[in-house]
Amino acid sequence: MPESFDDTYTESQVIMTAVQIIAPFTLTYGLFMTFHGGDAPGGGFQGGTIVGVTILMLAFAFGIEPTRQWLRNSFLVGLVTGGVVVFGAVGLGMIALGGNFLEFERLYDVFHVKPKWGLEAIEIGGIALIVSGVIITLFFAMAAGFTPERYAGRGGPTPPDETPESADVEVSDDD
């Protein structure tokens, strides 16, 4: 009997075609939610989530490992770190201007710029980057446990050293 594995990727032309059609629209909508969120419903969290989930759709359609190789860990770490740096820089910049952390009114007092632009910087440059990077990173971290080299526990081969023997199995009537 040939050895079989729980394969996490099965090529499907229907799924691949659907994702190729849908992904540009979801990515565009995620970016729209991110950039338009300060003036309307949406924002960095919602937009970052949609962008991150678009990458997950690509991983489901074209394979987790090729997507993981396309988005290297250094890129994902840079994405999240960049978001934290933007968030911190804007907040500390307000302190440097004589206000409190994230007190955007200082932008108007010093530069005669609408305080809205401080919030936009946080939403777009901070929160959206952090959320999308964390969603993608968590997905890859969870998917790392589902490789053919590792036993999945159900449906895959039984490890050679853990082959159950029918004589050792006890049946209990205490249900």
Side-chain angles (χ1 to χ4, degrees), residues 48-105:
T49 301
I50 294 170
V51 170
V53 169
T54 301
I55 301 300
L56 272 56
M57 280 192 329
L58 293 170
F60 282 126
F62 299 102
I64 295 170
E65 278 308 311
T67 308
R68 187 190 318 253
Q69 291 171 0
W70 175 59
L71 289 175
R72 300 193 184 280
N73 284 341
S74 59
F75 174 76
L76 294 173
V77 169
L79 196 67
V80 175
T81 304
V84 171
V85 167
V86 167
F87 196 97
V90 171
L92 294 174
M94 298 305 111
I95 292 175
L97 295 175
N100 293 322
F101 191 77
L102 298 178
E103 184 183 350
F104 302 125
E105 293 298 322

Side-chain angles (χ1 to χ4, degrees), residues 12-169:
S12 168
Q13 292 300 320
V14 173
I15 293 174
M16 292 170 68
T17 303
V19 168
Q20 285 177 336
I21 293 169
I22 294 171
F25 293 105
T26 58
L27 182 63
T28 303
Y29 185 64
L31 293 173
F32 171 78
M33 291 286 287
T34 300
F35 290 114
H36 199 289
D39 297 328
F45 190 89
Q46 293 86 346
T49 301
I50 294 170
V51 170
V53 169
T54 301
I55 301 300
L56 272 56
M57 280 192 329
L58 293 170
F60 282 126
F62 299 102
I64 295 170
E65 278 308 311
T67 308
R68 187 190 318 253
Q69 291 171 0
W70 175 59
L71 289 175
R72 300 193 184 280
N73 284 341
S74 59
F75 174 76
L76 294 173
V77 169
L79 196 67
V80 175
T81 304
V84 171
V85 167
V86 167
F87 196 97
V90 171
L92 294 174
M94 298 305 111
I95 292 175
L97 295 175
N100 293 322
F101 191 77
L102 298 178
E103 184 183 350
F104 302 125
E105 293 298 322
R106 298 302 302 158
L107 289 174
Y108 185 76
D109 297 340
V110 176
F111 298 115
H112 302 292
V113 175
K114 292 181 181 179
K116 167 189 180 264
W117 294 110
L119 179 62
E120 292 290 332
I122 292 293
E123 288 277 333
I124 296 168
I127 296 172
L129 294 178
I130 294 169
V131 169
S132 62
V134 166
I135 285 175
I136 298 166
T137 302
L138 286 176
F139 172 74
F140 285 152
M142 288 188 293
F146 300 105
T147 58
E149 295 84 33
R150 299 178 74 183
Y151 295 106
R154 294 191 337 212
T158 305
D161 59 334
E162 295 181 20
T163 305
E165 295 180 16
S166 59
D168 294 338
V169 177

